Amino acid sequence: DAKTTQPPSMDCAEGRAANLPCNHSTISGNEYVYWYRQIHSQGPQYIIHGLKNNETNEMASLIITEDRKSSTLILPHATLRDTAVYYCIVASNTGKLIFGQGTTLQVKP
Amino acid sequence: GAGVSQSPSNKVTEKGKDVELRCDPISGHTALYWYRQSLGQGLEFLIYFQGNSAPDKSGLPSDRFSAERTGGSVSTLTIQRTQQEDSAVYLCASSSRRSRATEAFFGQGTRLTVV
């Protein structure tokens, strides 16, 4: 399974967009990019996933570079409740999800 | 229920005892995962069941750990002769394969404390 690299922590002002980067330079052609988040003391929560095209849902947008070696998760208007650890995962075709250390996002008032 | 259910939510056991942790996945989900999370750490993959395929046990830390999934539904994670380093939150997740997408839904976990 391809590995991902994320910054350990980021800050964001409440109401502003949070842009969380992820590098996955060894991603294979059939592997998806997934984003999950874990709010303190809760189980991880699925956010969004993509293969090649940019994706948007009610929670976030996912921008994948044309070479697929990196991606950015965008929370358009961050709130205090978005404070969490965000995990970028590249899923193999077996579907096994391997979590790294993620990025701790702190949204500040 | 609509989500992944784990029981018990908390378990305190004495060192050397065996424990069983249960996971009820979302109905119809063919994939089931077990992870553990020690205090302040990330999620450590333990085992992965996918349909009728042989489970991927590559994450089990020792032969004291085992898991089974009966009838493609409920799963039990068993830890024999528990040690203090086994103390962690054990998380279960399930997913339904749609093409190759793997959106997993997590339970709230079982907090295991070995004293």
Side-chain angles (χ1 to χ4, degrees):
Chain A
D1 295 333
K3 294 183 178 179
T4 62
T5 303
Q6 299 178 252
S9 64
M10 293 182 63
D11 290 343
C12 178
E14 186 179 20
R16 304 297 293 269
N19 297 279
L20 292 90
C22 179
N23 288 323
H24 31 79
S25 58
T26 59
I27 189 171
S28 298
N30 64 348
E31 291 178 321
Y32 287 76
V33 179
Y34 286 84
W35 284 84
Y36 284 76
R37 73 179 182 183
Q38 187 174 26
I39 296 171
H40 183 62
S41 298
Q42 298 183 20
Q45 175 191 25
Y46 164 85
I47 301 173
I48 198 167
H49 73 274
L51 183 63
K52 296 180 180 179
N53 300 322
N54 298 336
E55 301 288 344
T56 295
N57 63 20
E58 65 278 6
M59 291 182 67
S61 294
L62 174 61
I63 308 298
I64 303 174
T65 58
E66 190 170 347
D67 64 8
R68 302 211 323 126
K69 293 184 177 182
S70 65
S71 61
T72 301
L73 179 74
I74 301 172
L75 307 179
H77 306 286
T79 70
L80 298 179
R81 288 181 296 179
D82 291 323
T83 293
V85 180
Y86 287 77
Y87 296 97
C88 170
I89 302 164
V90 172
S92 71
N93 58 9
T94 66
K96 185 171 69 177
L97 300 174
I98 303 298
F99 287 75
Q101 294 303 307
T103 295
T104 299
L105 176 68
Q106 181 72 49
V107 181
K108 298 184 175 181
Chain B
V4 177
S5 178
Q6 293 187 245
S7 59
S9 56
N10 283 282
K11 175 72 175 179
V12 179
T13 190
E14 293 181 351
K15 178 181 174 181
K17 299 286 188 181
D18 298 351
V19 295
E20 285 189 351
L21 312 180
R22 177 186 169 103
C23 173
D24 285 89
I26 294 172
S27 178
H29 279 192
T30 58
L32 187 146
Y33 312 78
W34 283 99
Y35 298 86
R36 76 174 175 182
Q37 189 168 33
S38 301
L39 188 63
Q41 302 298 311
L43 277 78
E44 177 187 3
F45 167 77
L46 297 178
I47 189 169
Y48 169 57
F49 296 89
Q50 173 54 265
N52 295 322
S53 302
D56 181 335
K57 303 180 182 180
S58 60
L60 294 178
S62 76
D63 59 8
R64 296 187 295 105
F65 288 73
S66 63
E68 62 179 20
R69 188 177 185 192
T70 55
S73 181
V74 172
S75 178
T76 302
L77 177 68
T78 301
I79 308 173
Q80 296 178 310
R81 305 181 302 281
T82 52
Q83 303 295 313
Q84 288 186 330
E85 59 263 30
D86 299 335
S87 297
V89 176
Y90 288 80
L91 290 158
C92 175
S94 71
S95 69
S96 173
R97 294 292 298 275
R98 292 179 288 115
S99 67
R100 289 183 171 175
T102 313
E103 175 184 342
F105 296 84
F106 282 79
Q108 290 303 302
T110 293
R111 182 174 299 277
L112 176 66
T113 303
V114 182
V115 297

